[in-house]
Structures are given as structure tokens and as C-alpha cells.
Amino acid sequence: MQFNFSFSTSPFKTLIAFHKIIPTLEETALSEVDFQASYARSLLEEIKKYPELTEGIEKVADLQRYESVIKVLLADLFPYSLTKNEIKAITIPFHLHTFNHTERLAKILSDAGDHYTFSFRDVSEDSYYILNCCVIISMYYGIPVDAMDAPIFLDIPDKNNIMHHYRVLFNADFMDIIPTERAVPLSQEDIIELIDNFSDIALWKSKFPENSWILKGFSIMTLFDATTENAVSSFKSNLLRDDAKVQLDEIQEIFRSIYKIADLRIGLTSFEKVREEYNLRIVEKQLYSHLLYDSTIAECQEMLCNETLESMLTKEELLVVPDIDKLSVADPKKSFFINKLKQQQVKSFIFAPLIQEDKVLGILEMSSSKIRALNSVNANKLNFILPFIKDKVSKAFSETENQIEAVIQREYTSIHPSVKWRFQEEAIHYLNNRAFGKDYSLQEIVFENVYPLYGQIDVQGSSESRNHAIKEDLIHQTTDLIALFTKINQTHKLPLFEQKVFDLQRNLAALNLSLSTDTEQTMLDQMNMDMHPILENFRKNNKDSLVLADINAYFDRINLGIGGFYEARRDYDDSITLINKKLVTILDEKQLEAQEYFPHYYERYKTDGIEHNMYIGASIAPDKNFELYYLKNLRLWQLQVMCEMESQFRVLQPELPHQLEVTSLILVFATPISIRFKMDEKQFDIDGSYNVRYEIAKKRIDKAKIKGSTERITQKGKLVVVYSHLHEETEYLGYINLLQHKGLLQDDIEKFDVEDLQGLIGLKAIRVGFKAF
């Protein structure tokens, strides 16, 4: 049997010859061991009959007539005792004109079938030519070339069409390389130039013209089965690629090469454990899944609760079933699982849990339609592969996390961590259904039976303070303009300047009386459209005026954003910013501590002060056991944080550019409510008509007065707790007594009724002073 392969061009003219065996035979003929010497002499006599075997044969076809003689000549190199074990043949390097195969190689080639032809993996015609040139450089010029060290592989299918990968080694000890008259002598510089330009085929052919060298002799080609190692390497390379569609067929073929199972089928079901339940994750929708086969998402997630699978995941052990028919089917869930596999003609299978750093990623599935094709012995081959699969799935999980986050950001906006799990569930349902080609409308997110907590620290009289700052800026700006126009009028007397002074003085008098809602805009419009153009024109045309410096100083004080003075207002806005920043920092930091007690929803808003909402209940953290003492603990925590915020405000207050005061209020609502995420508003809101009473109370209570008086319930330096029922009063008085004992609150407890508000009747309040620090 003979397999021929070569490209059409080569620097070599090949002569297959066995002349290099003769010296060894002649040495053996002189041996003192009679039978060895006699054997060698007889071979020498025999080879003399065929001078062409030593002079060289150009045509491979001509070797057939010498097949029996060649086999005897090469007996020492191809011992019969190893013919069924070694994979060897005679050839010329890189040409693959092969003959004198061992029995094992002959069988491998026979199983490959008549359609198979030798082909080096990843060797192009140009690469082949250059490799031949490198042989000349290495063997004739004695300069090793690294290209000769690169591994060469042959991929040969077996009779089941499972691809095997063989590493090829050549023994060139029996070859001579001889230059012809067409050979180009190479200098050291020529060789360096070639080595520096490996891919320049034109350069190589110019230095090594076709058929300019003679390759005389033979080489021994030895193959080593590197299927498993090569398949694992290919597998790793495949997993690094992003073309998932190409990966599928290739990965399955790689597994078949490793396991030598022609009908081996690979599947992957990816999921994660959330709140003690398994949630399906579609990380690669193209991947086959034995569990998802002909199933709905709900059926698959139900099947994941199968005791057999749960045990496998808990123990992190392989589930190896050599014969599916021997599995018990008493448990309905287990029966459904087994029948699902039988529908896919599965007779033996291996399920491998994919768990990385205690995070469940899913199950790698392997199946065969043959009993015991997969078993506990060959299951151990997975030890080489699982780490790479885990890395790939973990990476896919990260990509899915990004998709989930994108859905949440697009559909829901930023979500507090305590409730993010519910939005993630909904996003996963959306992505899974989309992967199955199904329409899915995102469901509304509702948390029922949660207890609300509301608190605020508000800047007292913020509207009045802001108006006062606006008024102060307008007075200063008007006063400056009066001074400017008066000074201009002294040197450039025009009736118009006198008119402007008169108008400004009238505006100043009005400002000192009151500030209406449109006063600011009216005055700024008058200044910007009437007075400023006059000043600009005067400044442009009177460069030597003594008033010029005053005009420049005036315009330097103008804020371009509002077109007027922004000094008192800057102090006010900066003060609000400083207060909010300080209070938010305290509240957010303390919230991290509160979340450790029991997860709850938290949101806060910056206005002229800080408002915060919290909702706590079993529906927000269903995997934890909610008890009412967690609510009471959060209420006490809220009171303590309000004391902390008040204390820090008092420290900050002397440093404020604009002196402000704050008031503190807590609203108690003992009845559980429901909150619903409003998709159009991208935020949670109260759900249900009865629960709206709580929302109304939040918006109106801070402006309320003590019933029967004109005094506001909120006062600087005091904390107000508004409630409805006697048991709430008793509970909060207990908290207040504790905080008094800790030196956070004063002893001046007041209790009073709150005036009736629209939709709110019967509210009561406790008011107590903060301790001065």
C-alpha cells in the first residue's frame, strides 16, 4: 500500500536510495558474531543485484518491483515485533511518498478509507517549499533553522469517521543533500536575509530555484497519536473565539476525538441558584441542551429541582449513568427527567456540574445512544476539559449580566440593590424567552405587604431664604447701576441718563417694600435689554473715561447664566449644597449598616434638604425570615440617624456662607402597603387607593400646624414624629426615652394633635428637642 502526496513545486529533485545503509551492513559483515556477519554479507550480495537501489530511483512507482528486497533491507529499522505497535513508514521529508508501512499504520490508513489523502495541517504550498529550503540550510549549510522545530500534524479519520491527530517526526539520517549545477551558492548574508524574510516566497525561490538540489536517500516518518492533547489544545483555542456558531460543530467533534465515540452529543444547560431556587440562564442560545429539549422554560426550571440533579450540584460530583434503563423512575420529577433523555435516544450519559468559586453556572451534558459508551472510567477525561468550559461559561455569564443590566437600565433605570434581584429575574425571563424566539412583555414589579418609613430634614423657610438672597442681589445690582449712571451723567450730561437713574431709584424703592414672583425676571430683563447696552456702548466709545474702570468692575460681577448679580444666591445655593452633601453622606453610610440588619428598599431625594423612604417586608427579601422586630429595629435606627444628622448639621452650620436652619420630621405608618414600579415614571410608587393616604401625608405633613394654633409642627432644633395610633405613640416614646438616656435627645417631650388636612384627619405628633452638642 502506498500513499502519495506532494505539492507541484519543490527545490528538490528526489532520488529514493538506500546507499547509506551499506556502510552499516559492511561494518556488521566484519562482526565476530557469525550469524550477524553472515546475514549482513548476504544482504550486501543481494543489494549488488539492484544497483538502482543505491544509485537512486526517481519514480515512486518503480519501487513496487523492489518491495520485498526493501523490506529485508529495512528489517533492522522496522522490527517485526513492533510492527503492530509503531506507526512508521519510509518517505522523503514533507513529500509524503510513503511505503513500507508498519501494520499499525497500514490499518490506520485502511480505516481512513479510499477517499482519504495525506495532508499536513496548516501547510500551504508556499510553506511547503520554504520548509524544503530550510532542510537544505540545516543539513547542507549546518545552520539550524527554527522552522524545522515547528510541530507537524496529520489528521486521519478512523472507520467511524472520528478524527485522530498524529504528531509527525522525520528521521533524516539516511539522506544526502547534493547541489546541482543550478544551485545558487549562499553566503552567510544570504542565509540571514532568508531567515529575516520567511514569508517572502519569491526571495526563497530566487535563492533555491526549482529542482536545483538533489535529495538522495530516504527518511523514516514516525507518527505519535496526540489526539487527546491536540483536541484539548484545539478545544481551548475554540473557546477563546467569539464565533459561537462555528464552535458548536467543532467542539462536538473535539469531544468525539477525545472519547472516540462517533455519536457523542454535547449539551449545556446554564443556570444559577438565586434564593435557593435554580433560574435558567441562556448564555449561548445555539448550544444544544438535553434538559431544554422540547421543553418550555417553566418545565426546564421545574426539572432542575430534580433530587438527582440537586444532589449532583450540592456534592459537586459527576452524574455518570452507563445504562439509563437501570435508573429508578419512582419520583415523578426524576421520571420526567429520564423520559426527556430517552426521547433523545440517550442510553448512557455523563452530567458534569459547572461550579466556579461556589457559583453555580450550570451542567455540561454528554450522551451516547450506546449502553456503557460513557462510563465512570472515561468520565475522568473531563478533568482536562472542565476548567476551560467553566471559564467560558463564566465569561458568558458576565456577558449575560451585561445584557440583564442593559434591560434593567433601559426598562427600569437604576435600581436599589435590595430589590435588584426581582428586576434581574424579570430581565432573565425576557432574555430567555427572546432566545426561544417567543414574545414576552415585561411584567410589573410589585412588592406587597411592606412597611413604609419616611423621614426628612428640611431647610426651614427655604423659600423665604432664597427670595431674600434674590432680593439682596437685585438691591446690590440696582444700587451699583444708580451709582454708575449718576457718575456718567456728571461728565456726559444727557437727559436719558437722568431718566435711568430715576427708573432705578423707583425699582430700588419697590424692592425694599416686597418681592413679587415676577420682580426678578422683570428687573433683569430691563437691565439686560435697556441699561446694559447703554453701558456697553459708552464703554466702547469712551476709552479714556474715568468711569470705565467702574463699568468694567460692574460687568465682572454679572453672572452670565442669569444675567445679573449672583452673590447672595451663590451663598444660599452653596449652603444648600453643603447641607445636602453632609446629610446624604451620613444617611448613605448608615444605610449600609441598616441593610445588614435586614434587606429593605431605600431611596432618598435632595431638595432643600433630604427626604428618604424605606420599605421593609418579607416580599423584598423572600429568602429571609421577616419578623416585626426587624421593622422596630429599623424605626429605632432611623431615629438615631436623624439625631446624627442633626448633630452634624450643628457642626457644619457656622461654616455656611448663608445662615440656614433645618427641621426634622418622621412619619409613622403602621399599616403594610404595596409598592409598584411605574414603568412610565421609572420609579416606585404607592399601589392601591387606600395606600395613597400615606403618600398624601408625606407631601402635606411638613407644612401642618398644631391643631387649634398657628404654630408649625416642625421647629428648628426639634424632632417631630407624626403617627395615628396609641400603640405607635407607646412604641416611639420607648425609643425616645432610650435616646434621651444616651444623651441624644432632651427631656422636653411635647404631645399634640395635628390640624386636619385634606384627606388626613386624626394625626398626632410627638416633638422633642435635640441635645445641643
Side-chain angles (χ1 to χ4, degrees):
M1 181 184 295
Q2 181 174 292
F3 277 73
N4 297 328
F5 162 84
S6 67
F7 288 106
S8 58
T9 60
S10 169
F12 286 125
K13 174 182 178 182
T14 58
L15 294 174
I16 300 173
F18 302 92
H19 62 291
K20 298 202 90 173
I21 292 179
I22 292 176
T24 304
L25 291 176
E26 289 175 339
E27 184 179 345
T28 305
L30 301 175
S31 171
E32 295 180 358
V33 182
D34 290 342
F35 75 88
Q36 284 185 329
S38 176
Y39 176 71
R41 285 194 295 269
S42 63
L43 281 179
L44 289 170
E45 290 297 323
E46 187 67 21
I47 203 169
K48 286 179 182 178
K49 299 176 184 177
Y50 308 100
E52 57 269 37
L53 290 180
T54 55
E55 294 170 3
I57 298 172
E58 187 173 347
K59 295 182 179 179
V60 177
D62 293 340
L63 288 170
Q64 292 181 4
R65 72 179 76 168
Y66 309 107
E67 187 171 344
S68 59
V69 177
I70 292 172
K71 189 175 287 294
V72 174
L73 280 175
L74 300 176
D76 288 343
L77 300 177
F78 287 76
Y80 182 76
S81 58
L82 298 178
T83 190
K84 294 182 179 180
N85 183 276
E86 292 184 334
I87 312 173
K88 291 167 60 174
I90 295 300
T91 186
I92 298 295
F94 312 123
H95 289 62
L96 290 183
H97 296 297
T98 64
F99 57 95
N100 201 61
H101 307 121
T102 61
E103 286 189 22
R104 184 175 177 187
L105 178 57
K107 185 175 188 312
I108 289 171
L109 296 176
S110 174
D111 288 345
D114 295 336
H115 62 283
Y116 175 75
T117 56
F118 273 134
S119 177
F120 286 129
R121 184 197 303 169
D122 300 327
V123 176
S124 66
E125 185 163 356
D126 287 349
S127 298
Y128 162 78
Y129 196 100
I130 293 171
L131 283 173
N132 279 272
C133 296
C134 289
V135 171
I136 299 171
I137 293 175
S138 296
M139 296 184 65
Y140 186 83
Y141 288 97
I143 299 175
V145 184
D146 287 343
M148 300 300 298
D149 297 330
I152 299 173
F153 288 93
L154 283 172
D155 302 316
I156 307 176
D158 65 13
K159 60 184 177 183
N160 295 316
N161 206 32
I162 296 173
M163 192 63 68
H164 293 251
H165 311 287
Y166 297 92
R167 173 80 180 269
V168 184
L169 295 180
F170 291 102
N171 182 333
D173 292 344
F174 303 95
M175 289 186 356
D176 285 328
I177 293 178
I178 307 165
T180 70
E181 66 280 359
R182 298 184 63 236
V184 178
L186 299 183
S187 66
Q188 187 76 14
E189 290 72 21
D190 290 330
I191 294 174
I192 291 173
E193 183 184 10
L194 288 167
I195 292 174
D196 290 344
N197 295 276
F198 184 79
S199 59
D200 189 346
I201 185 62
L203 175 65
W204 285 86
K205 285 188 173 181
S206 69
K207 304 295 185 183
F208 295 98
E210 292 182 32
N211 300 320
S212 60
W213 291 77
I214 294 173
L215 187 64
K216 181 180 179 182
F218 68 91
S219 71
I220 301 173
M221 180 184 74
T222 304
L223 306 185
F224 295 93
D225 192 338
T227 298
T228 300
E229 295 82 353
N230 188 263
V232 171
S233 177
S234 299
F235 181 71
K236 287 191 289 183
S237 299
N238 193 290
L239 290 182
L240 291 174
R241 294 160 55 190
D242 294 325
D243 187 353
K245 187 173 183 180
V246 173
Q247 287 180 21
L248 295 180
D249 293 338
E250 293 184 6
I251 287 175
Q252 188 151 274
E253 288 305 314
I254 289 169
F255 269 83
R256 288 176 178 176
S257 293
I258 295 172
Y259 277 85
K260 300 178 177 60
I261 299 174
D263 71 339
L264 183 68
R265 170 167 270 180
I266 301 299
L268 174 69
T269 304
S270 53
F271 52 87
E272 64 179 338
K273 196 167 190 178
V274 180
R275 297 185 295 104
E276 302 305 318
E277 294 182 359
Y278 293 112
N279 283 344
L280 184 67
R281 281 269 188 126
I282 305 296
V283 295
E284 289 282 10
K285 66 180 181 180
Q286 299 99 328
L287 289 178
Y288 183 81
S289 169
H290 291 78
L291 295 178
L292 279 175
Y293 176 78
D294 198 26
S295 299
T296 64
I297 294 175
E299 286 176 336
C300 182
Q301 295 193 161
E302 178 72 16
M303 190 164 29
L304 292 176
C305 298
N306 176 343
E307 183 180 346
T308 302
L309 296 181
E310 281 197 353
S311 175
M312 174 189 66
L313 293 167
T314 302
K315 297 177 181 179
E316 295 188 37
E317 296 177 347
L318 300 180
L319 176 60
V320 183
V321 178
D323 187 350
I324 196 172
D325 293 327
K326 292 184 178 180
L327 277 180
S328 169
V329 292
D331 181 2
K333 289 183 180 178
K334 192 172 182 179
S335 174
F336 183 83
F337 160 63
I338 294 170
N339 289 333
K340 181 68 63 179
L341 295 177
K342 287 183 176 180
Q343 289 174 23
Q344 300 164 72
Q345 287 74 51
V346 172
K347 290 296 184 181
S348 60
F349 66 88
I350 298 173
F351 279 13
L354 302 178
I355 301 174
Q356 192 170 54
E357 296 178 354
D358 297 326
K359 181 179 179 65
V360 175
L361 303 175
I363 296 174
L364 173 69
E365 308 157 349
M366 301 167 54
S367 72
S368 172
S369 61
K370 296 180 176 59
I371 295 174
R372 284 182 289 281
L374 291 167
N375 52 67
S376 61
V377 174
N378 58 22
N380 288 289
K381 292 185 179 182
L382 281 175
N383 294 334
F384 301 104
I385 304 170
L386 280 181
F388 309 116
I389 296 178
K390 290 177 183 179
D391 287 342
K392 175 65 176 179
V393 177
S394 181
K395 180 183 176 183
F397 260 49
S398 297
E399 293 169 356
T400 309
E401 289 287 352
N402 293 336
Q403 293 182 48
I404 292 170
E405 192 63 31
V407 172
I408 292 174
Q409 291 292 333
R410 184 179 71 247
E411 303 293 341
Y412 302 112
T413 198
S414 183
I415 300 300
H416 188 261
S418 62
V419 295
K420 194 169 185 177
W421 62 268
R422 180 62 188 88
F423 293 86
Q424 287 174 329
E425 279 188 345
E426 196 60 31
I428 289 172
H429 291 157
Y430 170 78
L431 292 173
N432 284 345
N433 278 276
R434 189 179 68 177
F436 276 76
K438 297 180 180 179
D439 292 332
Y440 183 81
S441 298
L442 290 164
Q443 304 299 303
E444 288 190 319
I445 307 294
V446 180
F447 294 99
E448 298 179 341
N449 294 318
V450 294
Y451 292 88
L453 295 91
Y454 172 77
Q456 71 169 39
I457 291 187
D458 191 36
V459 173
Q460 188 179 42
S462 58
S463 297
E464 292 83 353
S465 294
R466 182 182 287 104
N467 287 339
H468 179 76
I470 292 171
K471 182 177 178 179
E472 188 177 343
D473 281 334
L474 289 173
I475 289 173
H476 289 162
Q477 188 172 359
T478 303
T479 302
D480 277 17
L481 280 172
I482 290 173
L484 276 176
F485 278 107
T486 300
K487 201 168 185 178
I488 293 171
N489 194 42
Q490 290 173 354
T491 56
H492 298 74
K493 287 188 176 294
L494 287 175
L496 179 63
F497 293 156
E498 187 178 354
Q499 174 68 45
K500 297 308 173 190
V501 171
F502 175 75
D503 291 342
L504 288 165
Q505 288 174 335
R506 189 166 56 180
N507 288 345
L508 186 60
L511 276 173
N512 286 321
L513 290 175
S514 64
L515 183 72
S516 61
T517 54
D518 63 343
T519 299
E520 178 188 16
Q521 194 59 52
T522 300
M523 291 187 66
L524 288 177
D525 287 346
Q526 182 185 17
M527 293 172 184
N528 283 298
M529 292 185 289
D530 184 11
M531 307 204 181
H532 288 175
I534 295 173
L535 293 176
E536 289 282 9
N537 183 267
F538 185 86
R539 180 165 62 170
K540 181 179 179 181
N541 297 303
N542 297 273
K543 300 292 186 181
D544 58 345
S545 173
L546 297 175
V547 190
L548 194 61
D550 293 335
I551 295 175
N552 289 336
Y554 169 80
F555 278 111
D556 287 343
R557 295 179 67 183
I558 296 295
N559 179 278
L560 297 178
I562 65 171
F565 283 13
Y566 180 67
E567 295 166 353
R569 269 173 291 183
R570 181 186 298 111
D571 288 344
Y572 172 81
D573 290 341
D574 288 349
S575 297
I576 292 291
T577 300
L578 287 170
I579 292 171
N580 286 350
K581 184 178 180 180
K582 172 63 74 173
L583 299 183
V584 161
T585 299
I586 296 169
L587 190 58
D588 287 350
E589 287 180 355
K590 294 293 183 181
Q591 250 295 305
L592 298 177
E593 173 188 312
Q595 292 292 340
E596 294 294 323
Y597 301 145
F598 192 90
H600 56 278
Y601 181 74
Y602 159 71
E603 60 184 2
R604 46 92 172 147
Y605 306 97
K606 293 180 183 179
T607 54
D608 288 343
I610 301 296
E611 298 179 46
H612 67 271
N613 291 311
M614 296 181 291
Y615 302 97
I616 188 171
S619 62
I620 288 178
D623 55 336
K624 297 184 179 294
N625 184 28
F626 176 74
E627 299 290 349
L628 282 178
Y629 69 80
Y630 287 118
L631 168 63
K632 295 180 178 180
N633 183 74
L634 192 59
R635 285 173 171 173
L636 176 56
W637 171 88
Q638 184 185 35
L639 279 171
Q640 292 184 137
V641 172
M642 296 292 280
C643 292
E644 171 91 14
M645 293 164 75
E646 172 75 18
S647 172
Q648 291 300 315
F649 169 74
R650 294 300 162 197
V651 173
L652 176 67
Q653 190 180 31
E655 303 173 9
L656 296 176
H658 188 107
Q659 284 304 298
L660 297 169
E661 277 291 349
V662 297
T663 60
S664 301
L665 177 143
I666 286 175
L667 175 63
V668 182
F669 200 82
T671 306
I673 63 174
S674 296
I675 56 174
R676 181 185 300 272
F677 189 85
K678 300 295 182 66
M679 296 290 288
D680 52 345
E681 299 172 15
K682 304 294 185 184
Q683 66 181 24
F684 277 103
D685 204 352
I686 303 302
D687 189 39
S689 57
Y690 173 76
N691 297 330
V692 171
R693 182 171 177 268
Y694 172 72
E695 197 66 27
I696 293 173
K698 288 197 304 180
K699 293 178 180 178
R700 297 179 180 173
I701 196 62
D702 66 315
K703 302 292 192 298
K705 298 180 177 64
I706 296 175
K707 194 169 188 178
S709 78
T710 58
E711 181 183 349
R712 293 271 287 267
I713 65 171
T714 55
Q715 295 291 326
K716 68 177 182 178
K718 292 182 179 290
L719 172 64
V720 178
V721 179
V722 180
Y723 59 94
S724 299
H725 305 291
L726 182 60
H727 67 86
E728 295 165 347
E729 176 185 308
T730 303
E731 180 182 344
Y732 272 85
L733 284 174
Y735 302 149
I736 290 170
N737 290 336
L738 172 64
L739 299 182
Q740 288 172 330
H741 174 72
K742 295 175 69 173
L744 300 177
L745 295 174
Q746 296 182 5
D747 297 332
D748 58 339
I749 296 178
E750 303 172 78
K751 293 189 289 186
F752 48 79
D753 292 334
V754 180
E755 68 175 344
D756 293 340
L757 303 171
Q758 184 178 357
L760 295 170
I761 299 174
L763 292 179
K764 303 177 183 298
I766 299 170
R767 190 165 69 188
V768 59
F770 291 106
K771 203 81 166 184
F773 294 94

